[in-house]
Amino acid sequence: MSLSTHVLDTTLGIPAAGVAVRLEHSACTLAEAVTDGNGRIGALGADLAAGTYRIVFDTGTYFASADRPVFYPEVAVSFVISDPARHHHVPLLLSPFGYSTYLGS
């Protein structure tokens, strides 16, 4: 099973580069990475089994580094992997005062 993410700064209309991301399962950290210049992490974790996972995005540090206000210093997205053979993509659309996510392809 593969897992990827993509973070877009919707206020500026650009990829959110440099966002620290953590993958968790059963309160354990499985992987950590930082979004690249295109706001992407192509591979987060490996050989993930069926179950409930959580991706935590460090949005506070991202906004603070640009001296921008932030209301949500951390965004945690919980999701279920029911088919470990399928690729899962969890994007985050981000602004200082709101966010949205969805199951991507």
Side-chain angles (χ1 to χ4, degrees):
M1 201 297 300
S2 58
L3 174 67
S4 60
T5 189
H6 188 197
V7 184
L8 297 171
D9 186 328
T10 59
T11 301
L12 300 178
I14 61 172
V19 176
V21 177
R22 184 174 70 246
L23 175 64
E24 300 176 346
H25 176 64
S26 299
C28 294
T29 298
L30 300 180
E32 295 178 301
V34 176
T35 57
D36 65 15
N38 290 317
R40 294 181 182 275
I41 298 172
L44 187 63
D47 299 324
L48 302 176
T52 300
Y53 292 82
R54 195 167 100 121
I55 298 179
V56 181
F57 299 88
D58 181 4
T59 54
T61 301
Y62 169 75
F63 286 116
S65 70
D67 197 31
R68 294 169 59 196
V70 63
F71 184 70
Y72 298 104
E74 181 177 272
V75 172
V77 178
S78 296
F79 60 97
V80 174
I81 293 176
S82 57
D83 180 1
R86 178 181 173 200
H87 172 74
H88 288 74
H89 183 67
V90 182
L92 179 68
L93 305 176
L94 181 62
S95 78
F97 304 105
Y99 63 89
S100 178
T101 186
Y102 55 95
L103 174 59
S105 59

